[in-house]
Amino acid sequence: MRKCVVMEPSSFEEAVEDPAWVDAIVEEYDSIVRNSAWEIVPRPEGKSMVGSRWIYKVKEAAEGSVEKYKARFFAQRFSQIEGIDYKETFAPVARYSSIRTILALSAQMG
């Protein structure tokens, strides 16, 4: 049995040629807007701009079939210097396993 390999695009131009990747991009963009993840503001005088990039991954099911096309939009923070371009960062990301562990410990300790 031959396994069909789905290639991940290496650029935005490549991704927008495939409707499956366009759907993944739209889903990520809608998520960013819905969660108010960022806002566009005028660039302060003398500050550097942060670049961005789309990353594409194919999520596979256990048997090897395509489960989901996943597009993520990332800021390229390496162009900033802490204390000059930004003062603090916060990423509200938690894994479900971490949340379950904290809840189990809380319940056990009363």
Side-chain angles (χ1 to χ4, degrees):
M1 177 187 276
R2 253 173 66 174
K3 182 179 172 183
C4 180
V5 177
V6 179
M7 299 297 292
E8 296 167 349
S10 58
S11 68
F12 180 78
E13 290 77 18
E14 231 179 271
V16 295
E17 292 176 3
D18 185 345
W21 288 113
V22 172
D23 291 344
I25 291 168
V26 169
E27 182 181 337
E28 173 70 0
Y29 178 77
D30 288 344
S31 173
I32 289 170
V33 171
R34 186 175 52 254
N35 295 316
S36 301
W38 47 262
E39 62 184 73
I40 298 173
V41 297
R43 183 176 74 160
E45 193 71 29
K47 300 292 182 181
S48 61
M49 289 183 22
V50 176
S52 58
R53 181 174 173 87
W54 283 98
I55 306 293
Y56 310 98
K57 293 290 177 192
V58 175
K59 302 293 182 177
E60 295 181 355
E63 71 275 355
S65 64
V66 174
E67 184 176 334
K68 186 175 187 176
Y69 291 88
K70 193 78 171 170
R72 286 285 183 227
F73 189 69
F74 287 96
Q76 297 173 325
R77 282 193 43 226
F78 57 81
S79 63
Q80 293 184 309
I81 301 169
E82 185 176 2
I84 296 174
D85 296 315
Y86 67 94
K87 293 189 178 12
E88 61 185 47
T89 60
F90 177 70
V93 178
R95 295 181 64 166
Y96 289 118
S97 59
S98 300
I99 294 170
R100 285 193 304 266
T101 302
I102 290 170
L103 289 173
L105 286 171
S106 298
Q108 186 178 29
M109 297 175 132

